[in-house]
């Protein structure tokens, strides 16, 4: 215990204070047979330099996007992150072991959350946003529950091209609650509108949709909104925030609740998390928004200030009246997203979107020109697209990895109907040379 600042005299004083003679007396309730009587089997101590070399050697064994051109998306994306973003987000005043509550929350931290909410509203075209959610999947699930509360209806309709993991999280949230979900199939890689018309009824609380959808295709969102609203149902849309530099925001095409994953906004890929979900809605539904909302106000002297304004959570109001039992948010990830959005600004965000769009279409056109390769869907897409391959995508990914390239997602692992369907992603980070190299390697297979 070399790193404990207490001396032997300190230990003795503490034992005397609590009325025992030895430390082992505190463990007497544990049977002797269950106690370790030998030293731990740990290697000898190393110097800091030796530890760095050891860990560095282990890290070199990883395959990661910093050393490989990455064409894998499907929910976690390799976007460029300006150096200022992690620099500012890692400042010590933003580090905490737990989400601060009102009493100990600084005005500065409250302001960062307020700025996040404001930028999410501007991005989505909505009136109000909360302080963030766990991730995009939980945000969609909370949107489904919120729609049921707003409409006082129980049934939900889910578009067929929602991310399968998001769809599974929604099912988990609704497990045990009488909220049946009707899934609608696809036509040309996006929601079958005729099937949607048959599925939505006067009992439908909301249509859940992803735009661009899991297959990368842009949905006919205005038609989806018309169908839902004609029956009094809401539209809860999961959107890619970086696509909103180019696409019409959900608040403008008729969505009632907009959610999504904020990892692409300056948060690096990191073994599946932590991510940050965002959630925004119209003013009329504000009191049904889960989580917390920071509001701007003035004090008795007229000075600007920020406070936790709405917290309809089970910790603050009666459990049966709570909008959610979600008890924390990914505040540091939301802060990072805020810094990213402030750094890029509207023009920077649009440029990122334009580069994703142009490079993805260049890659799709080149791949579709290879013998045996084709694009199964004609629907417009943003930065992800599906390629129908002449060989199992797993084989192609293995060949690409040998060439230092991370390939796409084998959709057949999710659904047998998607056998030989390969989901690729091209972000603004990918260069023309990397895309050409991808095509070159595949052309030799």
């Amino acid at each position: 215990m070399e790193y404990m600042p207490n001396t032997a005299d300190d230990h003795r004083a503490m034992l005397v204070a609590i009325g025992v003679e030895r430390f082992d007396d505190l463990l007497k309730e544990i049977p002797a047979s269950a106690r370790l009587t030998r030293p731990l089997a740990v290697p000898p101590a190393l110097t800091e330099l030796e530890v760095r070399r050891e860990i560095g050697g282990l890290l070199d064994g990883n395959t990661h996007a910093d050393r490989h051109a990455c064409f894998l998306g499907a929910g976690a994306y390799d976007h460029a992150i300006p150096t200022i973003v992690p620099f500012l987000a890692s400042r010590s005043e933003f580090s905490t072991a737990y989400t601060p509550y009102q009493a100990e929350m600084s005005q500065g931290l409250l302001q960062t959350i307020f700025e996040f909410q404001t930028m999410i509203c501007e991005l989505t075209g909505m009136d109000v946003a909360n302080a963030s959610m766990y991730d995009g999947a939980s945000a969609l699930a909370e949107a489904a529950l919120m729609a049921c509360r707003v409409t006082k209806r129980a049934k939900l309709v889910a578009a067929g091209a929602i991310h399968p993991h998001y769809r599974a999280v929604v099912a988990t949230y609704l497990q045990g609650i009488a909220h049946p979900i009707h899934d609608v199939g696809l036509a040309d890689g996006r929601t079958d509108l005729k099937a949607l018309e048959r599925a939505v009824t006067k009992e439908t609380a909301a249509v859940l949709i992803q735009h661009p959808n899991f297959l990368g295709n842009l949905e006919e969102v205005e038609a989806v909104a018309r169908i839902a609203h004609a029956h009094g149902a809401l539209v809860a849309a999961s959107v890619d925030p970086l696509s909103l530099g180019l696409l019409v925001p959900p608040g403008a095409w008729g969505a009632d609740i907009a959610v999504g994953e904020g990892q692409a906004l300056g948060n690096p890929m990191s073994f599946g998390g932590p991510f940050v979900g965002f959630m925004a809605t119209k003013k009329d539904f504000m009191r049904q928004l889960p989580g917390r909302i920071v509001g701007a106000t003035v004090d008795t002297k007229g000075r600007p200030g920020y406070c936790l304004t709405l917290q309809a959570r089970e910790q603050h109001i009666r459990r049966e009246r709570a909008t959610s039992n979600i008890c924390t948010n990914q505040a540091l990830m939301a802060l990072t997203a805020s810094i990213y959005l402030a750094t890029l600004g509207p023009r920077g965000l649009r440029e990122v979107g334009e580069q994703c769009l142009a490079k993805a279409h260049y890659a799709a056109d080149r791949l579709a020109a290879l013998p045996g390769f084709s694009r199964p869907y004609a629907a417009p897409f943003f930065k992800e697209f599906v390629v129908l391959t002449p060989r199992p995508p797993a084989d192609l990914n293995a060949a690409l990895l040998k060439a230092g390239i991370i390939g796409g997602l084998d959709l057949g692992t999710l659904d047998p109907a998607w056998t030989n369907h390969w989901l690729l992603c091209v972000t603004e980070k990918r260069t023309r040379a990397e895309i050409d190299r991808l095509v070159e390697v595949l052309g030799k297979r």
Side-chain angles (χ1 to χ4, degrees):
M1 303 295 286
E2 291 82 358
Y3 294 103
M4 293 294 288
N6 301 320
T7 65
D9 289 340
D10 292 334
H11 293 168
R12 281 192 291 272
M14 287 188 284
L15 292 173
V16 169
I18 59 178
V20 296
E21 295 183 0
R22 302 173 305 157
F23 178 77
D24 284 355
D25 292 341
L26 299 175
L27 308 177
K28 63 183 180 181
E29 299 302 328
I30 302 175
S33 60
R35 293 170 63 177
L36 189 66
T37 57
R38 58 169 175 77
L40 289 173
V42 295
L46 300 176
T47 67
E48 181 178 335
L49 184 59
E50 291 170 330
V51 170
R52 285 181 177 275
R53 286 174 179 161
E54 176 75 15
I55 299 300
L58 294 174
L59 291 175
D60 286 342
N62 289 333
T63 299
H64 54 81
D66 287 343
R67 295 187 179 179
H68 293 66
C70 180
F71 292 89
L72 181 62
Y77 299 101
D78 182 31
H79 285 287
I81 301 175
T83 303
I84 193 174
V85 176
F87 173 77
L88 291 178
S90 61
R91 287 180 61 93
S92 60
E93 57 264 44
F94 296 132
S95 298
T96 174
Y98 191 61
T99 307
Y101 283 82
Q102 182 69 68
E104 67 268 30
M105 188 176 274
S106 71
Q107 281 295 295
L109 188 54
L110 284 166
Q111 184 177 355
T112 65
I113 296 175
F114 181 80
E115 300 291 351
F116 172 79
Q117 295 171 179
T118 302
M119 285 188 273
I120 292 300
C121 286
E122 292 176 344
L123 203 57
T124 59
M126 291 292 184
D127 300 321
V128 58
N130 67 14
S132 80
M133 313 293 285
Y134 292 139
D135 54 26
S138 61
L140 182 62
E142 290 284 357
L145 291 173
M146 177 179 163
C148 292
R149 292 193 301 271
V150 169
T151 61
K152 302 188 187 315
R153 299 178 179 180
K155 296 182 178 179
L156 295 157
V157 172
I162 291 175
H163 193 305
H165 295 170
Y166 284 31
R167 177 64 180 80
V169 171
V170 172
T172 300
Y173 264 61
L174 301 185
Q175 190 174 28
I177 308 175
H179 290 315
I181 307 174
H182 184 105
D183 291 293
V184 174
L186 302 177
D188 191 28
R190 51 186 177 177
T191 304
D192 185 336
L193 295 180
K194 291 182 179 177
L196 183 67
E197 286 197 44
R198 293 192 296 270
V200 180
T201 69
K202 297 295 184 185
E203 297 176 326
T204 303
V207 174
L208 311 180
I209 194 165
Q210 184 175 347
H211 175 67
N213 65 32
F214 176 62
L215 303 175
N217 298 323
L218 304 186
E219 294 280 1
E220 297 175 272
V221 285
E222 292 182 349
V224 170
R226 278 198 303 273
I227 292 171
H229 292 160
H231 294 82
L234 305 184
V235 176
S238 177
V239 295
D240 179 346
L242 281 183
S243 73
L244 298 179
L246 294 177
L247 302 180
V248 176
W253 56 253
D256 302 284
I257 307 170
V259 300
E261 172 53 56
Q263 177 268 323
L265 303 175
N267 289 292
M269 297 187 294
S270 182
F271 297 96
F275 284 175
V276 53
F278 61 85
M279 188 170 188
T281 189
K282 297 176 178 177
K283 185 179 179 181
D284 291 344
F285 309 144
M286 177 172 62
R287 290 188 176 278
Q288 293 299 331
L289 198 62
R292 62 186 69 184
I293 302 173
V294 173
T297 184
V298 293
D299 65 11
T300 56
K301 297 180 180 178
R303 296 175 298 190
Y306 303 89
C307 61
L308 290 175
T309 304
L310 282 177
Q311 300 180 86
R313 306 184 302 150
E314 48 83 18
Q315 287 181 318
H316 298 95
I317 64 176
R318 283 183 294 171
R319 183 181 295 263
E320 65 273 18
R321 297 191 62 187
T323 55
S324 171
N325 67 353
I326 191 166
C327 292
T328 188
N329 68 315
Q330 307 280 36
L332 187 60
M333 306 301 111
L335 168 71
T336 303
S338 303
I339 297 171
Y340 176 88
L341 288 170
T343 300
L344 266 66
R347 284 190 295 179
L349 199 67
R350 182 176 180 84
E351 182 180 341
V352 170
E354 287 175 341
Q355 289 201 32
C356 291
L357 182 72
K359 293 178 178 180
H361 280 73
Y362 173 73
D365 289 345
R366 290 221 55 194
L367 288 171
L370 289 174
F373 288 78
S374 63
R375 290 203 54 236
Y377 310 124
F381 62 93
F382 174 51
K383 67 183 181 187
E384 289 181 280
F385 56 92
V386 177
V387 174
L388 192 57
T389 62
R391 296 182 55 187
D395 293 349
L396 302 178
N397 284 335
L400 289 172
L401 196 57
K402 290 180 180 177
I405 298 172
I406 299 173
L409 176 66
D410 182 354
L411 292 174
T413 61
L414 299 173
D415 187 338
W418 286 335
T419 297
N420 282 8
H421 284 60
W422 200 28
L423 180 64
L424 293 153
C425 175
V426 184
T427 71
E428 81 283 7
K429 277 187 72 175
R430 299 286 69 83
T431 65
R432 180 167 182 157
E434 290 172 339
I435 298 170
D436 290 343
R437 175 66 176 151
L438 169 81
V439 176
E440 179 187 351
V441 173
L442 295 174
K444 296 177 180 177
R445 303 306 301 172

